Amino acid sequence: MIYADLIFLVNFLTDGALLVATAKIRRLRIRLWRVALAAGFGSLYVLLLLLLPQLTPLFTIGVKFAVSVLMIAVSFGYGGWQILARNAAAFYLTAFAAAGGIYGLYYFFLPSQAVVEAAVTGVFQWPASYGFIGLCFGFTVWFFLRVFRGAKQKEALAAHTAPVEVEISGFRLACTGLVDTGNQLYDPLTKTPVMIVEAVLWKEVLPEAWLKRIQSSDTDQIVAAIGTEEFIWQDRLRIVPYRGINRSTQFMLALKPDLVRIQYAGRQWESGKVLIGFDGGTLSAEGAYQAIIHPMLLQE
């Protein structure tokens, strides 16, 4: 027995979820009435496929593809062939990922005996309920969007990172920096821009006690230690005041390098007018960068 209303509802929700996921991937404006109209059109097509199998010319691959493209055009507009093709590619990518995820999750929960029988006979039974399929579908689409957004964020982040090299009296430190236009930290006396670098990268030259104080943000002890503890670059040390998150004045230990070299946007930028501020924490949780590049260092 075919329950037309149930089949229509399941396909309507599935198509609607795929179209919304496509909009999120492509960063398109979602108009729910257009998405609902497109999902309803796709669901009616599926009902025709089940209720009127004699209409075989309507169920060819070409017609199915045309129906899906029409659904996308109804949901997001035409906008030209290139935009329509990209939207269609995102829609099919989401649909294939969801279908594969449903199959994979069902196969994961399938009893071992059923897996062995399917491998031996080549016949795969699919007795899963609509509820189980719906849960798998929802989880797969959510997981796919999370992974896709994470990849896009990493791609955007990579476009704003650059190799950095710091030179001080023959010592060289190489790391990856993030170009942050919001970094407006200057030495208030000399108006020298401050590039922030993780202090742990300097453990070869920084005294261990200083490194611990920087990591614990013990600014009073840092200031008190200057001039009392031996350090090879004592004359290069600076104290830079800045306002913290709570708007209170704090201090950052900084170093005056000979040169900072940055490879960015296909060019090499060099500057000697810069201070290296030590940050006691980790600037990137994923380790994508270890320094915050001041935007003034990328100007002529």
Side-chain angles (χ1 to χ4, degrees):
M1 180 182 246
I2 297 178
Y3 296 94
D5 54 349
L6 182 59
I7 293 174
F8 179 87
L9 178 61
V10 170
N11 282 276
F12 179 82
L13 295 176
T14 301
D15 291 342
L18 290 175
L19 289 169
V20 170
T22 301
K24 290 184 175 297
I25 291 174
R26 294 279 295 141
R27 300 183 183 276
L28 302 172
R29 181 181 177 184
I30 299 176
R31 295 181 178 176
L32 292 180
W33 70 270
R34 299 188 66 163
V35 171
L37 183 63
F41 175 73
S43 301
L44 287 176
Y45 177 76
V46 173
L47 278 182
L48 286 177
L49 178 65
L50 295 175
L51 299 177
L52 300 174
Q54 63 272 22
L55 299 178
T56 52
L58 295 179
F59 308 132
T60 60
I61 295 178
V63 175
K64 292 178 182 178
F65 178 76
V67 169
S68 63
V69 171
L70 184 58
M71 290 171 56
I72 295 167
V74 170
S75 299
F76 312 121
Y78 174 58
W81 283 108
Q82 289 186 344
I83 294 178
L84 184 62
R86 290 170 184 168
N87 292 341
F91 176 81
Y92 275 104
L93 179 64
T94 307
F96 293 153
I102 294 172
Y103 181 86
L105 287 172
Y106 181 75
Y107 189 81
F108 179 79
F109 289 106
L110 198 66
S112 57
Q113 183 62 32
V115 175
V116 173
E117 291 178 359
V120 173
T121 62
V123 179
F124 184 80
Q125 301 293 330
W126 188 270
S129 64
Y130 279 120
F132 179 82
I133 295 175
L135 289 174
C136 291
F137 175 80
F139 173 78
T140 302
V141 172
W142 171 82
F143 184 74
F144 176 74
L145 286 177
R146 288 293 299 269
V147 173
F148 186 85
R149 285 177 180 174
K152 293 292 287 185
Q153 289 174 353
K154 288 184 178 180
E155 182 181 348
L157 183 64
H160 294 85
T161 56
V164 176
E165 190 176 80
V166 182
E167 294 184 8
I168 303 179
S169 299
F171 176 82
R172 290 188 178 185
L173 175 74
C175 64
T176 300
L178 173 69
V179 180
D180 183 9
T181 56
N183 177 19
Q184 298 298 325
L185 183 58
Y186 291 88
D187 178 12
L189 296 178
T190 62
K191 301 300 180 181
T192 302
V194 180
M195 185 176 74
I196 302 172
V197 181
E198 293 179 2
V200 69
L201 300 180
W202 300 85
K203 60 183 179 180
E204 295 182 15
V205 292
L206 274 179
E208 185 177 354
W210 287 28
L211 183 59
K212 290 181 179 179
R213 290 167 187 158
I214 294 171
Q215 291 175 336
S216 62
S217 300
D218 193 349
T219 54
D220 293 336
Q221 291 296 326
I222 293 173
V223 174
I226 295 179
T228 62
E229 297 183 8
E230 184 178 352
F231 182 56
I232 57 175
W233 297 323
Q234 191 82 30
D235 58 330
R236 294 176 177 266
L237 290 175
R238 305 288 188 275
I239 294 295
V240 180
Y242 68 98
R243 290 195 179 276
I245 298 177
N246 58 0
R247 308 300 296 173
S248 62
T249 301
Q250 300 182 20
F251 296 94
M252 175 181 292
L253 184 65
L255 201 62
K256 181 68 175 71
D258 292 326
L259 185 69
V260 169
R261 185 178 294 109
I262 303 169
Q263 301 286 343
Y264 183 69
R267 293 184 58 184
Q268 177 171 289
W269 308 81
E270 295 183 354
S271 177
K273 187 179 180 181
V274 59
L275 293 178
I276 305 299
F278 297 123
D279 184 271
T282 302
L283 296 176
S284 170
E286 298 178 350
Y289 53 91
Q290 302 81 40
I292 302 295
I293 301 173
H294 199 288
M296 284 296 295
L297 300 179
L298 302 178
Q299 296 185 11
E300 297 292 349

